[in-house]
Amino acid sequence: MTRDLPTHHRATDPGGYVGSFGSVTWVHCPQCNKAARKGRGGVSCAHCGHRTIHSKMPRPDRWALPRKRHPVCEQCDQELPHRPAPTAHTVDGELRMTIICPHCDHKADYPAVRASSPQSRPPYEPLRRFLETQVAGETLWVNNLAHLDAIEQWIGAAVRERGDRPGLTMMARLPRWMKASTNREKVLRGLANLRERAQRAGIDE
Ligand SMILES: [Zn+2]
Ligand SMILES: [Zn+2]
């Protein structure tokens, strides 16, 4: 589906901060890497069923380390991270853990040894935002479709007006490069790409 770039209209700052646009952030699922929904209750993935609740530590008996000091991906042969993760399980009496290759996204089980669950640092790597792309050497990202719509309306507008709720709104905080008229077309194209990616990934909010 092609969509005309929305330009030449007049836009009023709707006010609000970034969290007021939509209630979810789409992230890469830590288990299957597809689009997963992150809301107040944690992450849930409709593709693989992965679910986390961020306020609770994952079960301590699930923590393991790769048995090899320098594990390599069975598909692309590149080095895998050697760090504890809460993905341990037993296959035929052997401890294994699931690792997603950071180079080729291949997901597989590897021999593992028990590791203690980390207490002081967050149990997960930060989740990667799903709707993110490079524009003019910068990272353009949105949390969800409502966020995308709002930025598209704003950046595409020929005339931008402050709303009746002034102050440091989400729009007022947008980085300078996004608001620069020289980058306007690029940013709008970047947003259109993100919209396509969202559609392909089944993102609907
Ligand atoms: Zn998943
Ligand atoms: Zn790999």
Side-chain angles (χ1 to χ4, degrees):
M1 181 180 96
T2 52
R3 211 164 171 277
D4 287 332
L5 297 180
T7 47
H8 308 304
H9 60 277
R10 177 181 287 261
T12 306
D13 186 344
Y17 64 105
V18 63
S20 351
F21 298 90
S23 55
V24 303
T25 297
W26 292 93
V27 295
H28 286 273
C29 171
Q31 193 158 292
C32 75
N33 212 33
K34 292 182 179 163
R37 220 171 160 277
K38 177 168 168 273
R40 209 165 278 162
V43 177
S44 65
C45 175
H47 302 282
C48 73
H50 177 87
R51 229 162 256 282
T52 60
I53 295 176
H54 279 274
S55 55
K56 287 188 185 159
M57 288 294 280
R59 292 166 45 195
D61 61 332
R62 298 275 317 257
W63 284 84
L65 253 181
R67 190 189 292 160
K68 286 191 181 160
R69 189 76 193 85
H70 300 284
V72 292
C73 170
E74 63 175 28
Q75 179 164 281
C76 74
D77 237 27
Q78 302 224 58
E79 189 157 339
L80 295 171
H82 186 268
R83 62 168 169 251
T87 60
H89 52 275
T90 308
V91 181
D92 295 335
E94 283 225 22
L95 190 69
R96 309 213 132 219
M97 67 188 293
T98 307
I99 303 176
I100 296 172
C101 175
H103 310 284
C104 74
D105 289 340
H106 178 69
K107 179 182 153 195
D109 287 352
Y110 297 88
V113 293
R114 294 268 169 219
S116 53
S117 58
Q119 299 298 323
S120 53
R121 60 190 176 86
Y124 288 102
E125 293 294 295
L127 294 162
R128 279 192 302 139
R129 206 179 263 111
F130 199 86
L131 297 174
E132 194 173 285
T133 186
Q134 295 295 306
V135 168
E138 306 277 354
T139 303
L140 174 69
W141 57 269
V142 296
N143 285 335
N144 54 51
L145 295 183
H147 189 199
L148 195 162
D149 290 343
I151 292 182
E152 192 177 59
Q153 283 295 311
W154 186 248
I155 298 292
V159 181
R160 298 174 195 156
E161 293 167 337
R162 309 215 63 165
D164 48 11
R165 286 185 291 172
L168 281 178
T169 62
M170 194 264 283
M171 297 311 175
R173 282 170 192 269
L174 288 181
R176 195 182 293 266
W177 66 266
M178 273 179 76
K179 292 187 276 197
S181 57
T182 43
N183 284 335
R184 188 161 173 245
E185 292 291 309
K186 287 182 203 161
V187 171
L188 288 174
R189 234 186 312 275
L191 290 168
N193 289 342
L194 291 180
R195 191 182 292 282
E196 270 175 42
R197 186 179 309 170
Q199 241 162 25
R200 281 197 303 272
I203 288 173
D204 55 1
E205 69 173 291

